[in-house]
Amino acid sequence: MPLSPTTSTTVTPSDPAPPPRSYDGTSPFPPDGPVPARDGGEWLYVTVTAVIVILPFVALGLAGWLLWGSLIHPADIVLALVLYTITGLGVTVGFHRGLTHGGYRAVRPVRIALAVAGSLSVQGDVIGWVATHRRHHAFTDQPGDPHSPYRYGTHLRGQLRGLVHAHVGWLFRNERTPAERYAPDLLADRDIRAVSRAFPALCVLTLALPFGAGWAIGGTWRYGVTALLWAGFVRIALLHHVTWSVNSLCHMIGERPFRTRRHDRATNLWPLALLSFGESWHNLHHADPTSARHGVDRGQLDPSAAVIRLLERLGWVHDVRWPTADRVAARRV
Ligand SMILES: [Zn+2]
Ligand SMILES: [Zn+2]
């Protein structure tokens, strides 16, 4: 099938204007209004979130115990690396730089493939992910931000509480981001809607794949089980925490060489650059959200940008918003 440019639009969020709530940059955020009920009930939402967050750690403990009995195989590690890379790039290149921020436009099969790859990371369905992240940019580090580490103020205790909230605590708050408001472009996209609906099945697939591959490579079901642990649960848990670290650590520690909007404290944090595929150059990202490259300075590893460049050379993505020297210089502090 010939590759043809997609007709659907990838728009930058229309940045809904924050409500006129005053915020001085240091106080705890005011309490939220009443939260609308979620379909299926609160307990179901909290239970599913708890399973997603806790189960990988139970698996990690189990994996360690199995390792003690020498039940880890080279194939498990290779499978884990491959799946970490595919699902990680699905999130960074697909969900984030492409679908959320419109840093490039992709031909239809690539757009769908990236949305599927990102969904295999078990970070929520693609439309919900994008809506939440656009809200984070609309209200960064001020009331309305779904995961700001400054939620409880800037004194030490508030900061520690805020760090836990920004890393994982926010997932447990029943604070739905309306996709109708933040991701109408994706709701209007049949392909993306289908990927979004398939999220539960993709969560099963992301575990079935390593199990099946491990079994096929090793020849017995025990190889399937160890592959499921390492390349399934442990791989998912690691990417979860790297992604969440961009939300938490990359708004608290690191360097801020670029100007961002008022109250926005996004940072560049080099130790996470490789594991996060370049997403930890988060200060530049908040200074210029549509830029397809986040690591713009010399020596800043940005594997996601390298993949976008490769896809561009293959003719599979186009209209890439590469940072120009002028644009970068204009944003430098
Ligand atoms: Zn951020
Ligand atoms: Zn972003």
Side-chain angles (χ1 to χ4, degrees):
M1 186 178 71
L3 301 175
S4 63
T6 174
T7 51
S8 56
T9 50
T10 309
V11 298
T12 310
S14 52
D15 260 23
R21 285 190 276 185
S22 60
Y23 174 60
D24 60 10
T26 55
S27 307
F29 294 176
D32 298 323
V35 178
R38 202 175 267 276
D39 294 346
E42 173 83 2
W43 69 270
L44 180 64
Y45 172 75
V46 172
T47 307
V48 169
T49 306
V51 167
I52 288 174
V53 171
I54 295 165
L55 197 62
F57 282 99
V58 174
L60 187 57
L62 197 55
W65 179 72
L66 284 174
L67 175 64
W68 197 251
S70 314
L71 277 175
I72 178 168
H73 312 104
D76 300 336
I77 303 301
V78 173
L79 282 171
L81 282 174
V82 168
L83 285 171
Y84 183 88
T85 305
I86 291 172
T87 58
L89 290 170
V91 170
T92 64
V93 174
F95 281 18
H96 190 211
R97 302 193 194 191
L99 294 172
T100 302
H101 294 295
Y104 62 84
R105 286 164 63 80
V107 295
R108 187 171 173 229
V110 171
R111 181 178 166 85
I112 296 170
L114 285 169
V116 168
S119 302
L120 294 175
S121 71
V122 198
Q123 294 186 9
D125 76 282
V126 55
I127 296 177
W129 196 103
V130 168
T132 303
H133 189 68
R134 285 179 179 173
R135 184 152 67 95
H136 166 62
H137 277 268
F139 297 95
T140 310
D141 292 332
Q142 46 182 311
D145 185 338
H147 44 64
S148 172
Y150 300 98
R151 182 183 186 96
Y152 301 107
T154 52
H155 55 283
L156 182 64
R157 221 174 134 255
Q159 284 276 262
L160 289 174
R161 214 177 143 198
L163 189 63
V164 174
H165 163 76
H167 192 73
V168 67
W170 69 278
L171 291 166
F172 291 88
R173 296 181 64 83
N174 189 8
E175 207 183 289
R176 202 180 77 83
T177 300
E180 305 76 31
R181 182 166 165 203
Y182 288 94
D185 53 317
L186 300 191
L187 283 175
D189 185 319
R190 267 181 51 199
D191 297 329
I192 298 298
R193 271 207 322 273
V195 176
S196 179
R197 271 198 308 272
F199 179 62
L202 292 171
C203 289
V204 174
L205 182 66
T206 203
L207 297 173
L209 275 175
F211 179 75
W215 192 336
I217 293 168
T220 72
W221 65 269
R222 292 176 75 92
Y223 279 81
V225 171
T226 59
L228 173 66
L229 286 171
W230 292 102
F233 292 112
V234 175
R235 174 262 306 176
I236 290 169
L238 180 63
L239 187 62
H240 272 167
H241 282 278
V242 169
T243 306
W244 297 338
S245 294
V246 175
N247 295 340
S248 57
L249 299 179
C250 292
H251 279 263
M252 270 187 86
I253 53 172
E255 293 173 344
R256 310 196 59 238
F258 297 99
R259 247 195 317 277
T260 51
R261 291 189 312 173
R262 189 154 180 255
H263 302 311
D264 182 329
R265 294 174 168 105
T267 63
N268 280 353
L269 190 59
W270 69 264
L272 281 176
L274 188 61
L275 271 180
S276 71
F277 300 110
E279 297 284 281
S280 72
W281 307 114
H282 203 53
N283 173 245
L284 180 281
H285 172 55
H286 273 260
D288 189 4
T290 57
S291 172
R293 176 182 294 284
H294 295 181
V296 295
D297 283 334
R298 182 184 280 276
Q300 294 187 339
L301 279 178
D302 190 341
S304 300
V307 169
I308 294 170
R309 174 73 86 195
L310 177 69
L311 295 173
E312 188 183 35
R313 293 223 167 103
L314 291 168
W316 293 352
V317 309
H318 53 97
D319 296 336
V320 183
R321 297 181 198 239
W322 293 117
T324 60
D326 291 356
R327 213 175 146 90
V328 171
R331 283 163 171 72
R332 219 174 274 282
V333 174

